[in-house]
Amino acid sequence: MRRITVALTALLALTGCGQNGGEGGLKDAMAAVSGEGPAAAYFEYGEPAWWRDLGVKAGAAEARRWLPASVSGLGSFASAAAALPEATGMTPTAGTRAISIGVPPQQAFRFDGEVDADAVRKKLTAHGAKPREMGGHEGLSFSPGDEIDLSRTIVPGVTNQLNQVVVTDSLVATASSPDPLTAVLGGKTTLADKPAYAAMASCLGDVAAATIMTPSPPSMAVTLYGVGLRRPADLNARPVNVICVLPTASAAADVERALKSRLTPTGAMSDGGTYSKHASEIAHDRVSSDDHTVLRAVLTLNDTTNAMFANQMLVRGDLQTLTKP
């Protein structure tokens, strides 16, 4: 059945059809976390299961360019993913979806899918974790707060992200402290319930990797940034990146003018080249949802460009520069 689903997804991608904007994967993931707290500052999403079914795996030459997308949603666990199963019993890359919320120290992570909960509990207990109730959830904890114990190296590169853990047969949630842990497990008001974030999901559409965040430092011109990677029809398809910008009402015209004039194939990049080196096709439009109008740019990437190019733009601050009035 899963193979049929993937084939149908590929056909829909080729014909330009698919889920309604933001529905399904991304929108469902946003509905799984609290909208009050760290997710409002940073939300990262990925679908490990979808990429696995497409054939993206380490060692496959034709899948190499898609590997960064396959670990979207793992956040700071991405670099430690290979060591996590043996050390903790957690295998985020074997799940159905991955979610990271918040910025340090208010980060939390959630991996949904089939979980060997007993194995996770056994390994964490062996490392010294103790049973503790956190926000109404029974879990395991190495410390009651967000303390960092550098002498306890469970996984190289991981500090206090595993301080608090809730594990069931269908998910693992971890955080440095109880509050973000509770937030990643849901809430009365979810991120999908907030009109600005729902509009961002509608703009991004049917993506298998996405990041939504507020400007840092806060901006008087932009409320939210979002970037995503649309599902490729197959491993040989050209990646299509989506950039979404929600401007403030007072700066909307200036931000749109800046984005449309700068983000073009002939537009200058910070390294001195032009965007045509990475994307020969860049289309601009708007998406309206619930009294919010989001500016959108769709980039069809060249064969040699990193499939997560738009995400790199966001991380480097290039997108913020492009939208500065």
Side-chain angles (χ1 to χ4, degrees):
M1 180 62 72
R2 185 69 183 177
R3 293 183 181 274
I4 295 174
T5 301
V6 173
L8 178 60
T9 299
L11 176 62
L12 293 173
L14 284 171
T15 58
C17 302
Q19 298 169 327
N20 293 326
E23 292 182 359
L26 176 59
K27 196 71 173 288
D28 282 353
M30 295 169 68
V33 302
S34 174
E36 306 301 327
Y42 182 90
F43 178 87
E44 180 184 328
Y45 166 73
E47 297 181 24
W50 193 86
W51 294 107
R52 286 197 309 274
D53 284 348
L54 193 66
V56 177
K57 57 183 178 181
E62 68 275 16
R64 187 177 297 116
R65 73 178 311 175
W66 305 104
L67 286 174
S70 70
V71 295
S72 180
L74 301 189
S76 59
F77 280 122
S79 60
L84 281 171
E86 178 64 26
T88 69
M90 305 175 192
T91 311
T93 55
T96 56
R97 72 179 178 192
I99 299 170
S100 301
I101 66 170
V103 295
Q106 296 295 306
Q107 285 183 297
F109 310 86
R110 173 172 173 162
F111 315 121
D112 293 81
E114 187 175 341
V115 178
D116 187 343
D118 288 339
V120 174
R121 294 188 187 101
K122 182 177 180 179
K123 287 180 179 291
L124 292 180
T125 299
H127 286 299
K130 305 295 184 185
R132 180 174 285 121
E133 181 178 310
M134 297 161 285
H137 301 279
E138 295 295 330
L140 294 166
S141 173
F142 289 97
S143 64
D146 58 0
E147 294 85 353
I148 300 176
D149 183 356
L150 296 179
S151 67
R152 184 183 65 243
T153 305
I154 299 174
V155 179
V158 174
T159 53
N160 61 342
Q161 296 99 316
L162 293 170
N163 268 357
Q164 321 288 335
V165 179
V166 167
V167 56
T168 71
D169 291 335
S170 60
L171 68 84
V172 177
T174 82
S176 59
S177 58
D179 287 346
L181 181 72
T182 301
V184 84
L185 289 169
K188 292 181 179 179
T189 300
T190 73
L191 200 63
D193 295 327
K194 305 184 76 169
Y197 293 84
M200 185 61 67
S202 295
C203 176
L204 289 169
D206 188 19
V207 290
T211 298
I212 300 171
M213 61 179 283
T214 56
S216 180
S219 167
M220 297 296 291
V222 174
T223 301
L224 284 175
Y225 288 106
V227 295
L229 173 62
R230 286 187 176 165
R231 302 173 194 275
D234 55 51
L235 295 178
N236 296 314
R238 292 170 65 185
V240 176
N241 283 184
V242 185
I243 292 174
C244 296
V245 180
L246 178 60
T248 61
S250 61
D254 291 337
V255 172
E256 182 173 26
R257 188 179 306 111
L259 183 64
K260 292 178 70 174
S261 64
R262 294 168 182 164
L263 185 54
T264 66
T266 58
M269 296 181 60
S270 58
D271 63 3
T274 64
Y275 283 100
S276 62
K277 177 181 179 182
H278 301 285
S280 57
E281 300 174 33
I282 302 177
H284 290 269
D285 67 352
R286 302 177 184 174
V287 178
S288 296
S289 174
D290 203 4
D291 295 329
H292 288 82
T293 298
V294 187
L295 310 176
R296 178 166 62 186
V298 179
L299 288 68
T300 303
L301 304 183
N302 298 334
D303 290 337
T304 58
T305 300
N306 190 304
M308 298 290 280
F309 178 67
N311 191 78
Q312 292 178 324
M313 291 176 63
L314 182 63
V315 171
R316 290 194 303 255
D318 293 344
L319 185 53
Q320 294 84 329
T321 299
L322 286 171
T323 55
K324 186 175 181 180

